[in-house]
Structure formats: C-alpha cells, structure tokens
Amino acid sequence: KAGVTQTPRYLIKTRGQQVTLSCSPISGHRSVSWYQQTPGQGLQFLFEYFSETQRNKGNFPGRFSGRQFSNSRSEMNVSTLELGDSALYLCASSLAGPDEQYFGPGTRLTVT
Amino acid sequence: KQEVTQIPAALSVPEGENLVLNCSFTDSAIYNLQWFRQDPGKGLTSLLLIQSSQREQTSGRLNASLDKSSGRSTLYIAASQPGDSATYLCAVYNTDKLIFGTGTRLQVFP
C-alpha cells in the first residue's frame, strides 16, 4: 500500500508570494492533517480535514488555508509569504481522526 | 493546555546498549500516544501507537509503555544499533490533534 505523498518536496519563494502544497493520503484514509515544523517551535498543528470539511484548526493566521477534495487529497495554501514561514510542512493521514497517524516526507519551504 | 516534555533532549551511547526515552504530558485526557522517529530532513515514521486503554505495545526491539494517570510514557530500545540514530518524538492525541514533544536526539556509535 502506497504511503502518504507530498509535492513538491522543495520550494523556494520570495516574500509576498503565495504557495500551494499538496498531500495525497493513504488509500482509504479520510482524515488529513497538516503540521509545520521549525527548529524554534517544533511541530505545530495547522488544520485537519475530514470528508472535504475543515474539522479542526490550529493557531495560525488566516494566510494559512487548506482544502480537501472528494478523493481525500488535500492542498494547503499560504498567501503573502513571510520569512518566518520557512519550515518543513508535513501532512499526516489517518482513517478517521484519532487513529494512528501516517506522515508524508514533507515539503521544505524556504522564503527569501 | 496540554504540554508534552521529553527527557533527555539528546543521548549518545555505544552500540549494544539498552535505552529508555521518557515522555511526560500534563493532561491525562488523551485518546492515544504515538512514538515517531525522524531522520534529518525527513518526515516522521510511526513506531508505536498506544491507545489510552492500553499499558504497553511492542514491536521488535521497541517497547513503549503508557501510564495515563501519571502522565508518562517510556520508549525502551533494546540492543541499540547505529541505524537507530535519529530523533525520537512522542505525541499525544488530545481532543482534536497531535501535540508533540520536543524530541530526543539519539546517536548510537559503533
């Protein structure tokens, strides 16, 4: 069974631009969560989608948004990029939520 | 507010040693606790999941225990190998998301 995939793996953007990251969950998984990992803050929860609906949201500004499609694939968008948005963005999938979480390899975003 | 702490922050040991990594959390109202491994610049690999009703889980050389009432979990690694070198993260599923500890960076040298 294929694991969680994330594209692209690396991105370099400049301040003010916007970016879209993609996550394909394990087949049959309906919950997709997004996390930001930085050296200073560690791993922080961004949001979770289940059946195309945002079910939970972390403490991030409105510049961070996401969506989920009918095939459970999810995208995350960050608008008006800031230097502090440089991070490893990880998505995780699970069957329905509070189950075992399976993480993708991440997207490394660098904002210059 | 749930807080997760991991001790020690870093550990360097010779190959063959048995290790104990510690994780503590402040709110015992958790669904489950999960241990992960992260190699530099990579994603997280799930090692063990312990449901809140369970006391321990085992996989190969790994054994994780959970004492929900005291807010503690330990990850025991038997007969460590250089390939075990990585950062180990524990995370509790609390209400609606995973809350992570800051990790233990493990180095096993030959």
Side-chain angles (χ1 to χ4, degrees), chain B residues 34-47:
Chain B
Q34 200 166 349
W35 283 93
F36 296 92
R37 164 190 176 136
Q38 186 174 34
D39 294 286
K42 303 291 179 63
L44 277 60
T45 300
S46 177
L47 298 173

Side-chain angles (χ1 to χ4, degrees), chain B:
Chain B
K1 179 187 170 189
Q2 178 76 271
E3 293 183 0
V4 182
T5 304
Q6 290 187 246
I7 294 173
L11 191 58
S12 182
V13 299
E15 181 177 9
E17 281 207 1
N18 299 323
L19 309 170
V20 175
L21 308 183
N22 296 292
C23 173
S24 61
F25 48 95
T26 54
D27 183 353
S28 62
I30 62 171
Y31 284 106
N32 56 53
L33 183 145
Q34 200 166 349
W35 283 93
F36 296 92
R37 164 190 176 136
Q38 186 174 34
D39 294 286
K42 303 291 179 63
L44 277 60
T45 300
S46 177
L47 298 173
L48 289 164
L49 170 74
I50 310 178
Q51 300 291 352
S52 62
S53 59
Q54 297 176 318
R55 297 284 294 185
E56 67 177 324
Q57 281 286 349
T58 298
S59 176
R61 295 183 293 110
L62 304 179
N63 175 275
S65 66
L66 174 64
D67 184 342
K68 207 171 67 157
S69 61
S70 68
R72 293 180 186 174
S73 177
T74 61
L75 178 67
Y76 177 83
I77 303 176
S80 59
Q81 303 170 357
D84 294 331
S85 299
T87 296
Y88 290 79
L89 294 152
C90 76
V92 297
Y93 203 103
N94 186 222
T95 307
D96 55 5
K97 59 184 175 290
L98 279 176
I99 298 175
F100 284 86
T102 49
T104 294
R105 184 175 297 177
L106 172 65
Q107 182 181 13
V108 182
F109 54 90

Side-chain angles (χ1 to χ4, degrees), chain A residues 25 29-32 48-56 66-75 95:
Chain A
H29 285 192
R30 296 169 63 192
S31 170
V32 174
E48 182 217 5
Y49 285 86
F50 180 81
S51 293
E52 303 179 65
T53 301
Q54 186 181 88
R55 190 159 65 173
N56 298 300
R67 59 178 175 168
Q68 186 180 35
F69 302 94
S70 58
N71 62 358
S72 293
R73 189 177 71 86
S74 177
E75 288 182 347
L95 283 170

Side-chain angles (χ1 to χ4, degrees), chain A residues 1-4 25-29 95 102:
Chain A
K1 188 150 85 164
V4 179
I26 291 171
S27 177
H29 285 192
L95 283 170
Y102 296 87

Side-chain angles (χ1 to χ4, degrees), chain A residues 1 5 7-8 10 14 17 19 24 28 31 34 38 44 49 51 56 72 76-77 79 83 96-97 100-101 103 105-106:
Chain A
K1 188 150 85 164
T5 58
T7 56
Y10 304 92
T14 56
Q17 288 186 313
V19 68
S24 292
S31 170
W34 289 88
T38 59
Q44 293 188 293
Y49 285 86
S51 293
N56 298 300
S72 293
M76 189 189 96
N77 185 274
S79 62
L83 294 178
E100 186 164 8
Q101 305 287 313
F103 280 78

